[in-house]
Amino acid sequence: MADHASLADRAYSPGAVPGARAGLFSDHDPRVRLAVALVGCVAAVALQSLGALASALAIALLALAASRPDLRRLRGRLLSLEGFMIMVLVTLPFTVPATAPDGILLQVGPFTASGDGLRRAFVILLKANIVVLLLAALIGGLEATQFGRALAGLGLPGRLVTLLLMTVRYMEVLQRDYARLRRSMRVRGFRARADRHSLRSVGYLIGMLLVRSFDRSERILDAMRCRGFNGTFRHDPLDAAGGRDAVLALAAAIAVVACVAVEVAVR
Amino acid sequence: MSGEPLIGLSGVRVARDHGRIVLDGIDLAVRPGERVGLVGPNGAGKSTLLHVIVGLLPVAAGQVAAFGRPCRTEREFAAVRRRVGLLFQDSDDQLFCPTVAEDIAFGPLNLGVGRAEAAAVVTRTLARVGLAGFEHRITYRLSGGEKRLVALATVLAMDPAVLLLDEPTTGLDQEAEERMLALLLSLDQAMVVVSHEPRVIDRLATRVVHLDRDGLKAA
């Protein structure tokens, strides 16, 4: 449960709050940050050679250092990623067959670990880390609303943006509703077991949560209509991207070209 | 009290789910400067009555008039909502933006106010409710009392002529309640206040009406 609360917390970064730490990208246009992050991630995923991926990782680390991230939050994000990556590192060598007869690294009973599998695991490890680091550097410090406006600015339909912002706002409320219902079950002696009674009770809990959420959404819409809402959010357009944004876009383009060049050279 | 009524209900009947009649034959006039206390048992339809005034629920019979004009269509009620502010029972229903400033600016932006002017409204309104400097606070992390005050601020930011307050002090501790009451007493808008707490009605209301199954009567 604490995990969910902190998830909602993480959606709010101190980006726009006065007095919060400012990194290199804090003053850049959020649309440009988002676009650069997207292009960077797509490029990183397309790379195949270890050399090019290592260069991309170095660039991502530089960008991250420049963004002066909140280290505690970053550690949490990275830990959850690396836990998953360990699974990949352990299982892939055994599931990818060796292409050459001398490609077998290790034999444990009927299982064989291949060099190809290990290489593929490393490629995945590098790609995943580059993507997470780039996102942390470029949009990790973006406040939820800014992120929403950036998405809208890049052409995402307004409804999806509204949905995202509403989710961020009401995750906590839903969480509290759930906790309250769950507590009221516990004080009456409920313990989840693998029996029909437990399944039915949890079903009621989820059903009740849905019904309540639906009612709440109606009340929220009423409240919004009372304040003149007519279906679309009124946002002032973001300021036009400036010179520093052009510099960021150019730097990103150079970085992508450099990585692709390494990729081609190594091939 | 004198002057033309700001809000006038006559012979209002409201049916809710599956035709159950929750209000019938309701007459009510709210005049400038009045603070009407609306009391009555649970389920008598007090919240429903407030929702009918701003057109969130349709009337099955009778008439709702605001500012001297009868209102029937959604369009007419949309105009009413700009001048009649409704404070909801649960502030979590009312505060839906991530930050306090965005929530307060939401109404003025819908009215077509520019972003700079909206920011000024936010600062001014927060100062008015005694929460200066709360602009960047996260709405869901406010205390219950602060949430209620911010919810009131979102309503006041529309500069309404009439306030409809649905249990404005329920669930607040004594200090927060006192703060809310003092604030409401300092406002010059006409009000309809729903409350179950006699001391709140005593402090606020200039007259009291009682709603139960037999209808609305002066108390």
Side-chain angles (χ1 to χ4, degrees):
Chain A
M1 228 159 278
D3 283 345
H4 286 267
S6 60
L7 250 183
D9 284 356
R10 273 184 233 146
Y12 293 102
S13 71
V17 183
R21 47 199 295 142
L24 178 63
F25 307 119
S26 318
D27 291 332
H28 282 88
D29 188 309
R31 285 167 302 185
V32 175
R33 287 164 69 178
L34 189 58
V36 165
L38 281 178
V39 171
C41 290
V42 169
V45 171
L47 297 176
Q48 289 304 329
S49 74
L50 288 176
L53 282 168
S55 331
L57 183 66
I59 293 168
L61 281 171
L62 275 179
L64 185 72
S67 75
R68 302 187 53 214
D70 178 341
L71 288 178
R72 249 193 2 194
R73 191 189 293 178
L74 182 67
R75 198 182 59 188
R77 283 173 179 168
L78 283 180
L79 276 181
S80 48
L81 170 71
E82 308 307 349
F84 181 66
M85 283 300 123
I86 287 175
M87 294 291 297
V88 173
L89 266 181
V90 170
T91 55
L92 257 189
F94 289 99
T95 49
V96 174
T99 43
D102 59 346
I104 291 172
L105 293 179
L106 181 72
Q107 197 134 21
V108 187
F111 303 107
T112 52
S114 69
D116 293 323
L118 190 63
R119 188 184 177 285
R120 192 171 295 180
F122 266 114
V123 167
I124 293 175
L125 176 76
L126 284 170
K127 285 182 182 181
N129 275 287
I130 292 166
V131 167
V132 169
L133 293 178
L134 272 183
L135 290 180
L138 285 160
I139 58 178
L142 217 50
E143 198 209 353
T145 334
Q146 290 286 89
F147 183 58
R149 289 177 73 189
L151 286 171
L154 291 178
L156 196 77
R159 282 181 191 197
L160 288 181
V161 176
T162 305
L163 206 56
L164 173 85
L165 292 179
M166 288 287 191
T167 308
V168 169
R169 165 65 181 90
Y170 282 99
M171 202 140 57
E172 180 86 352
V173 174
L174 273 178
Q175 185 63 39
R176 266 207 310 270
D177 264 358
Y178 170 78
R180 210 178 299 143
L181 289 171
R182 196 75 178 75
R183 226 170 5 237
S184 85
M185 289 168 80
R186 267 216 304 276
V187 295
R188 286 187 287 161
F190 177 77
R191 280 188 48 213
R193 296 189 192 84
D195 56 16
R196 282 176 75 99
H197 168 70
S198 291
L199 281 178
R200 189 184 301 121
S201 306
V202 171
Y204 289 159
L205 169 68
I206 294 169
M208 189 52 84
L209 210 53
L210 281 175
V211 170
R212 283 188 183 206
S213 305
F214 183 74
D215 278 355
R216 184 182 290 281
S217 70
E218 301 256 281
R219 293 197 301 272
I220 293 164
L221 183 62
D222 279 352
M224 290 170 78
R225 282 165 66 199
C226 279
R227 291 197 278 154
F229 184 68
N230 58 6
T232 46
F233 277 95
R234 299 179 79 112
H235 286 309
D236 277 7
L238 290 159
D239 294 337
R244 62 164 75 227
D245 299 310
V247 173
L248 175 60
L250 187 66
I254 292 173
V256 168
V257 170
C259 288
V260 173
V262 173
E263 171 95 5
V264 173
V266 178
R267 250 183 219 164
Chain B
M1 287 292 153
S2 62
E4 278 298 296
L6 298 167
I7 304 289
L9 304 184
S10 54
V12 163
R13 176 194 299 162
V14 179
R16 293 198 76 169
D17 9 273
H18 313 299
R20 186 173 58 94
I21 293 184
V22 283
L23 293 174
D24 201 7
I26 302 294
D27 300 307
L28 174 70
V30 182
R31 291 169 206 284
E34 258 191 331
R35 291 193 296 266
V36 181
L38 177 55
V39 300
N42 287 330
K46 302 185 295 294
S47 299
T48 303
L49 187 58
L50 299 189
H51 287 224
V52 163
I53 293 176
V54 288
L56 292 175
L57 293 169
V59 295
Q63 195 189 53
V64 180
F67 309 105
R69 290 212 191 96
C71 303
R72 260 170 247 102
T73 63
E74 171 65 19
R75 200 191 169 86
E76 284 162 341
F77 277 115
V80 171
R81 291 185 206 123
R82 292 169 173 229
R83 301 182 59 195
V84 179
L86 172 60
L87 184 73
F88 280 64
Q89 237 175 58
D90 183 349
S91 300
D92 269 321
D93 293 338
Q94 199 145 15
L95 305 176
F96 69 94
C97 295
T99 66
V100 169
E102 286 167 294
D103 222 307
I104 298 178
F106 175 75
L109 288 175
N110 284 331
L111 298 188
V113 168
R115 197 152 274 264
E117 172 61 18
V121 171
V122 170
T123 313
R124 204 163 57 225
T125 315
L126 277 176
R128 186 81 190 79
V129 299
L131 294 178
F134 268 57
E135 281 89 342
H136 297 282
R137 296 284 291 274
I138 307 295
T139 47
Y140 71 71
R141 288 202 217 129
L142 299 173
S143 74
E146 291 164 349
K147 262 187 202 168
R148 202 64 63 86
L149 286 170
V150 171
L152 181 62
T154 67
V155 172
L156 291 178
M158 310 270 292
D159 197 18
V162 182
L163 290 172
L164 309 176
L165 309 169
D166 201 347
E167 307 199 23
T169 60
T170 304
L172 301 188
D173 65 28
Q174 205 165 1
E175 195 192 324
E177 175 182 309
E178 184 49 46
R179 209 170 157 187
M180 177 61 88
L181 287 179
L183 175 61
L184 291 177
L185 281 170
S186 75
L187 299 172
D188 48 15
Q189 277 96 345
M191 298 177 193
V192 179
V193 187
V194 170
S195 182
H196 287 292
E197 293 162 81
R199 62 177 184 281
V200 171
I201 295 293
D202 284 349
R203 283 278 299 278
L204 279 181
T206 55
R207 72 181 171 99
V208 181
V209 290
H210 187 271
L211 180 68
D212 60 21
R213 265 188 295 180
D214 301 325
L216 193 64
K217 291 187 206 71

